[in-house]
Amino acid sequence: GENVEQHPSTLSVQEGDSAVIKCTYSDSASNYFPWYKQELGKGPQLIIDIRSNVGEKKDQRIAVTLNKTAKHFSLHITETQPEDSAVYFCAASEGNNNDMRFGAGTRLTVKP
Amino acid sequence: DGGITQSPKYLFRKEGQNVTLSCEQNLNHDAMYWYRQDPGQGLRLIYYSQIVNDFQKGDIAEGYSVSREKKESFPLTVTSAQKNPTAFYLCASSINFGAGQPQHFGDGTRLSIL
């Protein structure tokens, strides 16, 4: 089955700097890769997703890149702000159903 | 507003007791899911349901049970057979179980042992 690994587990940046979180997946059949942001005591919120027919997707300060050959995808946050502080999860799902596998999460801290 | 409502927010279980976590959605989604979240770990799938009156075991179903009698409701029972139930439980839904459907999450129930 699919296995998703996420790095780093914690990340601390200064406000205004960029943050990058990386995930690798094992199943080449996976074709949908969402990213979630989870604030303390809340459920994960979808912030961006990418499908395997696209190499990059951007939404304001957030972008995701996908390298199908290497089986890894990354979340890029530019001009970070303190409210970006949260736990971020990547996930991958197979080509024929919605069984989603999640990474272990990255705790991002943006210092003012 | 459409969304997923989980209740209660906090729940305490005594030894030998079964407890039921509620999950209700008004998104008209066919598929619903239950995940368990432990500190420092990703979400692990307990059960999922593709449609009303259907449900399937996930990776860690032992000690849990579910029902799906109504489209909008997918309650999870943590039975006394689950020896380590302390965790954050998340319910999610998606339009269907087809490939690449975003899952939308509730705000979770934190279960602790008394």
Side-chain angles (χ1 to χ4, degrees):
Chain A
E2 178 64 275
N3 182 47
V4 178
E5 294 192 359
Q6 182 171 347
H7 299 280
S9 57
T10 61
L11 179 60
S12 181
V13 300
Q14 286 294 138
E15 182 176 0
D17 287 352
S18 296
V20 180
I21 302 170
K22 299 180 180 180
C23 288
T24 60
Y25 61 98
S26 59
D27 189 347
S28 56
S30 292
N31 63 2
Y32 176 64
F33 308 93
W35 284 91
Y36 289 86
K37 175 183 181 182
Q38 185 176 27
E39 298 176 339
L40 194 61
K42 298 282 191 179
Q45 298 295 312
L46 179 69
I47 56 172
I48 196 167
D49 56 11
I50 193 168
R51 300 179 192 275
S52 59
N53 58 347
V54 175
E56 183 174 359
K57 183 176 178 181
K58 191 172 182 180
D59 182 3
Q60 299 183 352
R61 296 186 296 109
I62 293 173
V64 57
T65 58
L66 171 66
N67 183 327
K68 286 189 294 181
T69 303
K71 289 190 281 189
H72 66 72
F73 56 112
S74 300
L75 178 72
H76 305 253
I77 305 175
T78 59
E79 300 171 26
T80 53
Q81 301 167 4
E83 50 266 38
D84 293 330
S85 296
V87 178
Y88 291 81
F89 291 96
C90 63
S93 69
E94 295 180 1
N96 58 358
N97 63 54
N98 215 25
D99 185 3
M100 208 166 288
R101 301 293 157 155
F102 289 82
T106 296
R107 181 173 299 278
L108 173 64
T109 302
V110 180
K111 295 181 285 188
Chain B
D1 285 358
I4 299 177
T5 301
Q6 290 188 242
S7 62
K9 193 168 180 63
Y10 300 96
L11 188 57
F12 298 91
R13 196 190 88 169
K14 295 179 182 178
E15 290 288 336
Q17 186 181 43
N18 294 352
V19 291
T20 297
L21 285 60
S22 170
C23 177
E24 303 278 330
Q25 55 99 358
N26 61 3
L27 299 167
N28 200 33
H29 285 175
D30 280 326
M32 297 187 75
Y33 313 80
W34 274 106
Y35 292 93
R36 172 179 171 139
Q37 185 175 30
D38 293 285
Q41 296 191 35
L43 282 62
R44 292 184 291 167
L45 184 65
I46 304 172
Y47 268 97
Y48 66 95
S49 168
Q50 297 188 42
I51 202 165
V52 175
N53 294 322
D54 163 83
F55 50 83
Q56 307 291 334
K57 292 182 179 180
D59 299 319
I60 56 165
E62 186 174 350
Y64 301 97
S65 66
V66 294
S67 63
R68 187 86 188 277
E69 298 176 0
K70 298 187 296 183
K71 186 175 186 176
E72 57 270 23
S73 179
F74 191 39
L76 173 74
T77 297
V78 184
T79 74
S80 57
Q82 172 49 244
K83 298 307 179 187
N84 183 25
T86 298
F88 192 50
Y89 290 87
L90 288 161
C91 178
S93 71
S94 61
I95 291 174
N96 55 50
F97 197 64
Q101 299 296 328
Q103 293 187 17
H104 302 271
F105 286 84
D107 279 338
T109 292
R110 186 166 299 280
L111 176 62
S112 302
I113 297 297
L114 279 178

